[in-house]
Amino acid sequence: MFTIDVNGVDHTVNVAEDKPLLWVLREDLKLTGTKFGCGQALCGACTVHLDGQPTRSCVLPIAAVGQRRIETIEAMAADAIGQQVQRAWQEMNIPQCGYCQSGQIMAATALLTEIPSPNDRDIDEAMSGNLCRCGTYARIRRAIHQIADDQR
Ligand code: FES
Ligand code: FES
């Protein structure tokens, strides 16, 4: 039995200690916005925030979460920066198939929270672990710059 803080609410789940956080979120808590891609910490589709840090939930056993605060894409509408990112993603028409985009939005939100005006290098570093089969990288980079400009 584990109690985890997800999007500001405590949830108690009765699962094996090695169950990855991704599957606790999707199967036990029905938070299906976080996606499964590779299952090996290679693609970023499963990115959530753990105490604000982008984290691959597909390789994180539930037993390793502890008291850390988990935030998923479902909480981004209530996050000041997450909201801006989602708005820019809509206005600039970033997603193509959309599959990777919740992970991209989580990574971009964490970046802009830490570095309000990131340069290209900051963006590449922060976003390089999030793969997009549709190739939306250039648009994502433009959107991140646009959000930073709007904040100035
Ligand atoms: S599903 Fe977790 S990194 Fe690919
Ligand atoms: S938008 Fe299709 S994989 Fe990224």
Side-chain angles (χ1 to χ4, degrees), residues 94-101 104 131-136:
I94 305 296
Q96 290 193 28
C97 82
Y99 197 82
C100 71
Q101 295 295 329
Q104 304 280 7
L131 306 184
C132 176
R133 291 174 63 132
C134 303
T136 57

Side-chain angles (χ1 to χ4, degrees), residues 7-137:
N7 300 334
V9 178
D10 280 348
H11 294 271
T12 300
V13 288
N14 192 3
V15 297
E17 62 180 14
D18 59 351
K19 185 167 185 171
L21 174 61
L22 171 64
W23 296 112
V24 174
L25 294 171
R26 290 184 57 84
E27 294 180 342
D28 299 283
L29 304 184
K30 309 297 180 207
L31 293 170
T32 53
T34 306
K35 303 302 184 202
F36 170 72
C38 63
Q40 296 175 50
L42 298 171
C43 76
C46 65
T47 304
V48 299
H49 293 174
L50 216 63
D51 280 348
Q53 295 303 310
T55 302
R56 306 290 183 248
S57 63
C58 68
V59 291
L60 184 72
I62 183 76
V65 173
Q67 301 304 306
R68 286 178 287 178
R69 196 167 32 88
I70 301 157
E71 282 178 315
T72 68
I73 187 70
E74 285 84 358
M76 288 302 99
D79 178 284
I81 296 184
Q83 224 175 62
Q84 290 177 48
V85 172
Q86 286 182 315
R87 195 176 322 120
W89 252 236
Q90 272 181 336
E91 285 172 5
M92 299 178 73
N93 212 12
I94 305 296
Q96 290 193 28
C97 82
Y99 197 82
C100 71
Q101 295 295 329
S102 41
Q104 304 280 7
I105 288 170
M106 296 308 286
T109 301
L111 167 65
L112 284 158
T113 302
E114 200 181 316
I115 308 175
S117 286
N119 59 29
D120 282 346
R121 212 226 242 132
D122 299 326
I123 295 174
D124 289 348
E125 257 173 39
M127 304 301 293
S128 64
N130 287 75
L131 306 184
C132 176
R133 291 174 63 132
C134 303
T136 57
Y137 303 115

